[in-house]
């Protein structure tokens, strides 16, 4: 016989009060990570609907026992589980939560189930709960039941961006643009955010008992984010945020205003930015050269990128150092760089004018120089655009000289790293001309045209334009016949463009499936993950499923599931699951090719995402055919 638990009214009130405190605590969280923010806010809002119920129960003046007490204890456990999850999403590593977004979604649904299960057992009538409150609880329960698993476009872009960063070997501007986009999406672009992320990762490593492959990937990506933020250091989870001259940085005797806000080191060449804040020249230049237009300390957008020497502060620092017997680190004289911005602006203005020169050699030299300057730093990209360089470059895309076309499309690729320039380039009508070069240009011009279309298609409106101007077929042709670098550029652009539903159909009609299948067969290309990622997108389209779901492809998928890398297996299982959910015969075909045993092994020892996908696939298989 089950033992009955009895609790007096004061104890039951304490229990209810604890649950109310849990709801109040999660309601105070303000830093939910962007990848789970919507789900967190929805869960907090739903939990708050329980407050009237708890308030009515707390007003009871008699003891709660039996089922009533058990249900309250179960509800408390469910709420504590919700609190733990929400705390993770509020304080946890942003990179980890982005990488494991699907696993976190599974945890949300487990919380929904536990809360619903606990509310199922509450004896509302015996507890004297009012009809109004009961109706409110039922509304909340219906909301939890209707909460469905979702894969947002943004989440898919995040996953693809990470895959490109980890797998792409060549270091080009497109990679910088992807890193910058990732940093912005994950809100990891200020010094304070990067410090907090480092702390969160250190705690995660400690919780997990040390490093594994995922932890190394996270630390590697954090290091890349620090580089584009202008923090020049090797990431060490055990060390301080800046490791170059810690004795200077940490000295309590150094006045705070003498320290650079970026490096926390005493400044030798202080300069003032447009917001009035002062930084070490080298540090702020690294920040600006990493495609930032904001003040690192205030977060304000900089009206201009000029740097003015802070002579007054430098003199104070020199006097203080002399008084305290401290020798500043020796650096190159900064006097020669004072007029850098004015000089480069004058040079760029002259080069932009020369783009329209009637003399071929002058025009060609101007294009080559602008290509080089547009690659160097964000200031130059802004100066070139502000001086009217983009319309002149777009006109030259149609110039009947393959060499000029190559330099021009590459310059526009560099300029497109800037978000504002993406819109300007498209508005000037560059996309049809870039597509023309993609079809008929030199190998390097075709590769950089594909990279330019990828960069421009970061904006949704440009995805539509590339599709409407028939840019998909030449990208598919480059994927099929291009160089190694060309295939990678084409694959990345096609993935990004295929996030648009209409472009999926265009890609399928352009014949994208056969070259993707070839990429799976040719192990030397090292593009299995890229191919499977695009196939996963296309598998969500009816036309794509019809063409992908051939028996020969299913056999290839099974072979990857059996012998691929952990990431290969994860992607292959995802594609097979997407296909199988819509066509059970493909599941039966996979079983005939021997997928069951390797799938069961992945469900135990694969990556976290692969385990979840494998378990879902095994459950679906059990419905298609009984497996002993």
């Amino acid at each position: 016989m089950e033992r009955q638990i009895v609790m007096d009214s004061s104890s039951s009130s304490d229990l209810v009060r604890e649950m109310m405190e849990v709801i109040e605590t999660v309601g105070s969280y303000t830093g939910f990570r962007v990848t789970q923010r919507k789900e967190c806010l929805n869960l907090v809002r739903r939990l708050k609907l329980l407050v009237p119920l708890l308030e009515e129960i707390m007003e009871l003046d008699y003891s709660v026992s039996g089922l009533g007490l058990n249900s309250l204890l179960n509800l408390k456990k469910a709420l504590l589980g919700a609190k733990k999850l929400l705390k993770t999403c509020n304080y946890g590593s942003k990179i980890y939560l982005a990488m494991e977004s699907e696993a976190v979604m599974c945890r949300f649904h487990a919380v929904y189930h536990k809360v619903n299960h606990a509310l199922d057992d509450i004896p509302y009538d015996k507890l004297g709960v009012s009809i109004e409150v009961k109706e409110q609880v039922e509304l909340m329960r219906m909301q939890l039941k209707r909460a469905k698993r979702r894969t947002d476009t943004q989440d898919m872009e995040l996953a693809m961006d990470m895959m490109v960063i980890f797998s792409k070997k060549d270091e080009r501007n497109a990679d910088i643009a992807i890193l910058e986009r990732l940093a912005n999406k994950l809100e990891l672009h200020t010094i304070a955010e990067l410090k907090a992320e480092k702390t969160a990762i250190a705690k995660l490593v400690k919780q997990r008992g040390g490093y594994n492959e995922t932890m190394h990937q996270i630390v590697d990506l954090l290091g890349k984010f620090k580089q584009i933020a202008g923090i020049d250091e090797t990431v060490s989870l055990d060390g301080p945020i800046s490791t170059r001259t810690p004795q200077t940085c940490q000295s309590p005797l150094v006045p705070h205003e003498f320290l650079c806000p970026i490096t926390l080191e005493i400044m030798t060449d202080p300069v003032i930015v447009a917001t009035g804040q002062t930084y070490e020249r080298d540090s702020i230049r690294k920040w600006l050269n990493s495609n930032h237009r904001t003040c690192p300390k205030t977060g304000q957008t900089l009206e201009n990128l000029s740097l003015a020497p802070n002579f007054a502060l430098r003199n104070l620092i020199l006097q203080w150092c002399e008084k305290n017997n401290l020798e500043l680190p020796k650096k190159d004289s900064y006097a020669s760089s004072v007029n850098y911005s004015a000089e480069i602006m004058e040079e760029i203005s002259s080069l932009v004018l020369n783009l329209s020169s009637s003399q071929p050699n002058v025009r060609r030299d101007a294009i080559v120089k602008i290509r080089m300057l547009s690659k160097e730093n964000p200031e130059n990209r802004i100066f070139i655009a502000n001086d009217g360089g983009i319309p002149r470059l777009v006109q030259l895309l149609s110039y009947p000289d393959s060499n000029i076309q190559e330099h021009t499309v590459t310059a526009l690729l560099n300029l497109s790293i800037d978000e504002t320039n993406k819109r300007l380039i498209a508005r000037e009508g560059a996309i049809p001309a870039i597509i023309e070069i993609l079809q008929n240009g030199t190998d390097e011009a075709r590769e950089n045209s594909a990279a330019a279309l990828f960069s421009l298609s970061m904006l949704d409106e440009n995805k539509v334009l590339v599709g409407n101007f028939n840019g998909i077929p030449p990208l598919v042709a480059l994927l099929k016949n291009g160089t190694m670098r060309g295939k990678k550029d084409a694959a990345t652009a096609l993935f990004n463009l295929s996030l648009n539903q209409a472009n999926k159909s265009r890609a399928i009609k352009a014949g994208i499936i056969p070259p993707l299948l070839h990429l799976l067969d040719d192990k030397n290309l090292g593009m299995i993950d890229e191919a499977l990622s695009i196939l996963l997108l296309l598998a969500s389209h009816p036309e794509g499923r019809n063409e992908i779901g051939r028996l020969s492809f299913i056999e290839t998928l099974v072979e990857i599931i059996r012998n691929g890398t952990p990431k290969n297996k994860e992607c292959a299982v995802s594609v097979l699951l997407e296909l199988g959910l819509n066509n059970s015969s493909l599941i039966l075909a996979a079983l005939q090719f021997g997928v069951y045993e390797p799938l069961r092994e992945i469900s135990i020892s694969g990556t976290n995402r692969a385990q979840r996908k494998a378990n879902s696939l095994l459950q679906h298989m059990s419905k298609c055919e009984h497996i002993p």
Side-chain angles (χ1 to χ4, degrees), residues 157 181 390 412-413 415-432 434-435 449-472 475 493-503 506:
E157 286 184 342
R181 182 169 69 159
I390 288 176
L412 287 170
L413 165 61
L415 291 171
S416 72
I417 295 172
D418 184 273
E419 198 77 5
T420 302
N421 287 350
K422 284 179 171 58
R423 290 186 171 85
L424 290 174
I425 293 168
R427 194 180 303 152
E428 291 296 327
I431 288 177
I434 293 173
I435 292 170
S449 294
L453 291 179
F454 165 68
S455 180
L456 293 172
S457 67
M458 298 290 188
L459 303 182
D460 288 339
E461 60 264 33
N462 289 347
K463 288 183 178 71
V464 175
L465 287 176
V466 174
N468 289 343
F469 284 119
N470 210 27
I472 305 291
L475 283 170
L494 285 165
F495 176 88
N496 207 38
L497 290 164
S498 295
L499 294 169
N500 175 278
Q501 189 69 7
N503 285 341
R506 292 185 176 106

Side-chain angles (χ1 to χ4, degrees), residues 43-99:
L43 178 55
V44 171
R45 176 174 52 79
R46 289 160 182 161
L47 293 180
K48 287 180 177 178
L49 293 175
L50 293 175
V51 171
L53 169 67
L54 297 174
E55 287 176 341
E56 286 199 1
I57 294 175
M58 193 160 63
E59 291 172 0
L60 295 174
D61 57 359
Y62 56 84
S63 62
V64 178
S65 61
L67 290 176
L69 178 60
N70 285 333
S71 63
L72 290 181
L73 290 171
N74 287 336
L75 181 58
K76 179 184 175 183
K77 289 179 183 178
L79 292 180
L80 289 174
K83 178 185 176 183
K84 183 178 180 181
L85 174 57
L86 291 167
K87 185 177 180 181
T88 297
C89 294
N90 193 72
Y91 297 109
S93 161
K94 294 177 180 180
I95 299 174
Y96 177 79
L97 288 169
M99 292 178 71

Side-chain angles (χ1 to χ4, degrees), residues 121-133:
D121 297 333
I122 291 180
Y124 298 97
D125 295 334
K126 289 184 178 179
L127 294 175
V129 175
S130 66
I131 295 175
E132 293 82 2
V133 169

Side-chain angles (χ1 to χ4, degrees), residues 198-333:
K198 180 181 176 182
T199 301
I201 293 172
K203 289 181 180 178
L204 186 63
V205 171
K206 188 175 181 181
Q207 290 169 1
R208 303 243 157 182
Y211 283 92
N212 55 26
E213 183 182 353
T214 300
M215 291 298 107
H216 282 296
Q217 285 184 322
I218 290 172
V219 172
D220 178 61
L221 186 53
L222 176 63
K224 289 186 168 92
F225 286 158
K226 288 184 175 183
Q227 288 174 6
I228 66 170
I231 301 174
D232 186 16
E233 66 162 12
T234 301
V235 178
S236 170
L237 294 181
D238 300 320
I241 190 70
S242 180
T243 58
R244 282 173 289 181
T245 53
Q247 72 279 8
T248 305
C249 299
Q250 297 173 359
S251 173
L253 300 176
V254 180
H256 178 73
E257 60 270 22
F258 292 178
L259 302 178
C260 173
I262 294 176
T263 62
L264 300 181
E265 295 178 12
I266 191 165
M267 291 181 278
T268 61
D269 185 4
V271 291
I272 305 170
V273 298
T275 58
Q277 298 294 327
T278 297
Y279 300 92
E280 176 68 22
R281 184 184 294 275
D282 287 348
S283 300
I284 192 63
R285 276 216 172 279
K286 285 179 182 177
W287 171 267
L288 296 174
N289 290 346
S290 300
N291 206 29
H292 292 91
R293 279 199 195 180
T294 57
C295 172
K297 190 172 182 180
T298 67
Q300 294 173 270
T301 300
L302 296 170
E303 293 181 2
N304 59 71
L305 302 183
S306 61
L307 305 176
N310 193 334
F311 293 114
L313 181 59
R314 185 171 189 273
N315 288 334
L316 288 173
I317 292 173
L318 289 173
Q319 291 172 16
W320 182 88
C321 288
E322 186 177 351
K323 182 179 178 181
N324 289 274
N325 234 359
L326 179 68
E327 185 178 352
L328 282 175
K330 298 293 182 183
K331 291 195 176 182
D332 293 336
S333 173

Side-chain angles (χ1 to χ4, degrees), residues 145-191:
K145 288 177 180 177
R146 284 199 300 264
K148 296 179 180 178
R149 297 177 186 272
R150 59 185 175 83
T151 305
D152 291 344
T153 297
Q154 184 187 37
D155 295 337
M156 296 176 73
E157 286 184 342
L158 276 171
M160 184 62 178
D161 285 347
M162 287 183 175
M163 187 189 78
V164 171
I165 291 303
F166 289 134
S167 67
K168 203 163 185 178
K169 295 179 181 178
D170 54 305
E171 298 293 334
R172 288 185 295 154
N173 289 329
D175 290 332
I176 299 172
I178 295 169
L179 277 169
E180 180 68 21
R181 182 169 69 159
L182 265 177
N184 288 331
K185 281 185 178 179
L186 297 180
E187 298 173 350
L188 284 172
H189 43 72
T190 70
I191 295 166

